[in-house]
Amino acid sequence: MNKLTLFFMLRRNMKLSNKRHPMFEQNKVAIIFTIFGVAFMSIYLIVLGTFLGWGARGGDEDLIFAVLPIFLLLDFFMRFGGQQLPSLLIKPYLLMPIRRSDITDCFIVMSMLSSFNLLWLLFLVPFFFIVCCGGLPFSTTMGMLIVCEWLIVINALWYMLVRTLINQSLWWVALPIAIYALPLSPMLFIGAEKGLETIFEFCYNYAYSGTAVAIYAVVTIVLFVINSRLQKHLAASEVAAEEKKDFQNTAQMSFLDRYGLTGEYLKLEVKSAIRNKAIRQRYIQGLFLIVMLSALLSFTDIYEGRFAINMWCLYCFVFFGAVNLVKIMGPEGNYIDLMLTHKENILEILKAKYYFFCSVLIIPTVLLLPPVFSGRFSILMVLAYLFITLGLEHFLLFQLAVYNKASLPLNEKVTSKGNFENSLQLVIELVVFFVPVTLSLLFTNIFDEAIGYYILIAIGLAFTLTHNIWLRNIYQRFMKRRYENLEGFRATR
């Protein structure tokens, strides 16, 4: 089997895999929302490319290379929500009589030819169409367009390398920070404004030249080779169970014994967050994001509007719950049969999860003190979003315990495939991020700002104090669907 035949076979298998996934039918509504989102973004990119093209025609065509670094940086972060790593895809093929390097290379090429890389053509094509009509030779137009798309493909390879390394150790996050900080170093010596001007001028003058094209070719080859060897090694290591294990005694947490069965499940939640790679990594990423947001809000003026201030304050509180509770009962799906052997086990699990995630809110509360001391956040606003998360936000997220029925891998990385197993997950995600902010702005506009935040605190307290009532209601609804959910958990292990 030659590489071209293998490539088309793997591509066909990927499409069939997506269609045959147990959650495909339930993802239809999420797909519709995604289509609307992509359509809106497409219109936005077309309009942006058109306006930039009108401003650049007549001699300033190289302006595209001055602004392209901004789009490449945005493209890099957008890929964290969509691009899968080849090491997660090639494992089913490792036992087949096919060279591992061929399989790895095919999946890397598949990532380079992904439709996601073509998204930015919605911005680039209108731009170059207008500058071509404005007098730029057709051959030069096509050359510049190809180079821009080439840079996006290089960005895909760069993301693949960074994401793979970060999955192995979070310390590798220093690599992209260092790489992106290096071009900004002139700002330290000649000032922010002059430094940015120097960077834009350099990109404007040298990004489209023979030397630059040669550098792009070398970078493409180097990234491809590194990714190929790294992905092949990691996939083989996972299959062979070569991952180094460091067995350590964990704390007994005997102080939780007084809480009976709920205390035992609290221990399980803590140990699950510490021991299981996929779960632990989400907590570490959340901690990193909240620290970064706290620093930005404390020491810069990057977010000034009321909506932005309220939005980021809520985001810091709801992040841990939104990322983990949207898949509530997913980790337990791996051993749900055992949980159903005793009456009201599930209720005790729900209580333990609620108390655990309430305790986790201590972290953002402490990390948001710098913005409070700097005057960006008021203490009343922080308390309002703390209590609204304790009560209303957790009430909404825990509803998913009734409808989730896909087991979540404990150690394997969670990829973009099947992020939303049902439409309710997507709806609740949107509600928990935007509705409290909307209510806050509404109450503070109708009443005084302090009264508005007091109303939010009251709503949060009402749901917090009645948590036993609505948790039991969730448990009763779960038990009515237990056989349907049990079938789904078993099918997705």
Side-chain angles (χ1 to χ4, degrees):
M1 181 183 297
N2 58 45
K3 287 189 177 182
L4 186 60
T5 305
L6 178 62
F7 173 82
F8 285 114
M9 183 195 75
L10 294 176
R11 187 175 179 85
R12 183 177 66 252
N13 288 350
M14 282 294 298
K15 293 180 179 178
L16 290 174
S17 175
N18 291 331
K19 290 181 179 180
R20 291 171 178 171
H21 192 271
M23 295 301 112
F24 179 78
E25 292 298 327
Q26 299 183 38
N27 270 333
K28 291 297 180 65
V29 176
I31 291 172
I32 293 173
F33 276 101
T34 303
I35 291 173
F36 277 111
V38 171
F40 176 80
M41 185 177 180
S42 300
I43 295 172
Y44 182 80
L45 290 174
I46 292 171
V47 172
L48 185 61
T50 303
F51 277 106
L52 192 62
W54 279 104
R57 63 178 184 157
D60 289 329
E61 294 83 5
D62 287 336
L63 176 65
I64 186 65
F65 293 103
V67 300
L68 195 59
I70 299 174
F71 289 98
L72 291 176
L73 185 63
L74 178 63
D75 174 75
F76 177 80
F77 287 108
M78 287 173 61
R79 291 179 185 274
F80 279 88
Q83 184 173 329
Q84 297 186 62
L85 298 178
S87 61
L88 299 173
L89 302 173
I90 68 176
K91 288 190 290 184
Y93 303 95
L94 290 179
L95 298 179
M96 296 179 65
I98 305 173
R99 292 177 59 187
R100 292 180 181 179
S101 58
D102 292 345
I103 301 174
T104 306
D105 293 346
C106 285
F107 275 115
I108 294 176
V109 171
M110 207 178 297
S111 297
M112 296 170 67
L113 300 178
S114 170
S115 57
F116 187 87
N117 296 331
L118 303 178
L119 177 66
W120 297 104
L121 289 177
L122 296 169
F123 166 74
L124 296 171
V125 170
F127 174 87
F128 284 110
F129 177 78
I130 291 175
V131 297
C132 184
C133 294
L136 186 68
F138 180 77
S139 58
T140 305
T141 302
M142 291 304 298
M144 295 175 73
L145 176 60
I146 291 172
V147 168
C148 288
E149 183 61 24
W150 188 1
L151 288 172
I152 293 171
V153 173
I154 292 175
N155 209 40
L157 292 172
W158 164 241
Y159 161 81
M160 188 185 301
L161 175 61
V162 171
R163 182 63 184 272
T164 303
L165 294 173
I166 291 176
N167 281 350
Q168 300 307 305
S169 173
L170 195 66
W171 291 109
W172 280 107
V173 77
L175 176 63
I177 292 176
I179 295 297
Y180 288 125
L182 186 62
L184 301 177
S185 55
M187 298 171 61
L188 299 175
F189 305 101
I190 58 178
E193 184 175 348
K194 188 66 175 178
L196 283 175
E197 184 179 342
T198 302
I199 294 168
F200 287 138
E201 285 182 0
F202 179 84
C203 295
Y204 182 89
N205 294 325
Y206 301 107
Y208 184 66
S209 62
T211 303
V213 171
I215 293 174
Y216 301 153
V218 172
V219 171
T220 304
I221 294 172
V222 170
L223 287 176
F224 187 94
V225 172
I226 293 175
N227 274 305
S228 178
R229 295 185 178 182
L230 184 61
Q231 300 293 335
K232 181 175 63 175
H233 170 72
L234 292 176
S237 297
E238 285 195 33
V239 171
E242 294 176 4
E243 184 180 356
K244 183 180 178 181
K245 301 293 182 181
D246 184 16
F247 294 100
Q248 296 178 354
N249 291 327
T250 57
Q252 295 299 316
M253 294 179 284
S254 56
F255 66 94
L256 293 175
D257 292 342
R258 71 187 70 177
Y259 301 108
L261 193 56
T262 303
E264 293 301 320
Y265 286 127
L266 269 171
K267 293 179 186 179
L268 182 64
E269 287 294 321
V270 174
K271 291 181 179 181
S272 180
I274 294 173
R275 291 176 175 177
N276 299 319
K277 183 187 297 183
I279 299 173
R280 180 176 67 242
Q281 190 176 50
R282 289 199 292 275
Y283 284 105
I284 295 174
Q285 290 173 349
L287 185 63
F288 174 78
L289 284 173
I290 295 173
V291 169
M292 183 179 66
L293 282 172
S294 178
L296 286 173
L297 291 165
S298 301
F299 305 111
T300 69
D301 296 328
I302 188 171
Y303 299 113
E304 288 290 344
R306 287 181 59 202
F307 179 82
I309 292 293
N310 282 269
M311 181 66 196
W312 289 120
C313 183
L314 173 67
Y315 182 85
C316 291
F317 279 110
V318 81
F319 178 86
F320 288 112
V323 171
N324 293 281
L325 289 177
V326 74
K327 293 286 190 179
I328 186 172
M329 302 306 295
E332 288 76 18
N334 295 283
Y335 45 85
I336 192 69
D337 308 74
L338 179 63
M339 298 294 100
L340 290 171
T341 55
H342 292 284
K343 185 179 180 181
E344 297 195 347
N345 257 359
I346 301 299
L347 178 59
E348 298 300 328
I349 291 175
L350 292 174
K351 288 182 179 180
K353 284 183 176 293
Y354 178 75
Y355 299 143
F356 175 76
F357 281 97
C358 287
S359 302
V360 167
L361 292 179
I362 296 173
I363 297 173
T365 303
V366 173
L367 293 178
L368 288 180
L369 289 178
V372 173
F373 295 146
S374 65
R376 298 296 300 278
F377 290 170
S378 67
I379 295 178
L380 195 58
M381 182 178 73
V382 171
L383 290 175
Y385 287 122
L386 169 62
F387 281 104
I388 206 71
T389 305
L390 284 169
L392 178 62
E393 300 285 63
H394 284 163
F395 166 77
L396 293 171
L397 289 166
F398 269 78
Q399 301 302 317
L400 292 170
V402 180
Y403 305 101
N404 289 352
K405 53 182 180 180
S407 298
L408 189 67
L410 298 178
N411 286 308
E412 296 178 13
K413 304 297 185 300
V414 180
T415 64
S416 61
K417 181 179 177 179
N419 271 350
F420 295 107
E421 64 186 72
N422 56 64
S423 57
L424 188 60
Q425 288 183 346
L426 179 60
V427 172
I428 289 183
E429 282 273 81
L430 295 174
V431 169
V432 298
F433 277 115
F434 293 104
V435 169
V437 176
T438 304
L439 291 176
S440 172
L441 296 178
L442 180 64
F443 291 149
T444 54
N445 283 329
I446 296 176
F447 309 103
D448 181 68
E449 181 174 322
I451 295 177
Y453 288 135
Y454 280 128
I455 294 174
L456 288 181
I457 292 174
I459 294 173
L461 275 174
F463 280 96
T464 303
L465 296 175
T466 59
H467 71 274
N468 281 319
I469 298 174
W470 51 262
L471 283 176
R472 179 167 289 277
N473 175 262
I474 291 171
Y475 161 72
Q476 292 171 347
R477 288 156 52 211
F478 174 89
M479 293 305 290
K480 290 180 180 178
R481 289 172 47 96
R482 62 185 181 276
Y483 296 115
E484 179 182 349
N485 289 0
L486 189 59
E487 183 181 352
F489 286 130
R490 288 172 175 171
T492 52
R493 286 174 185 168

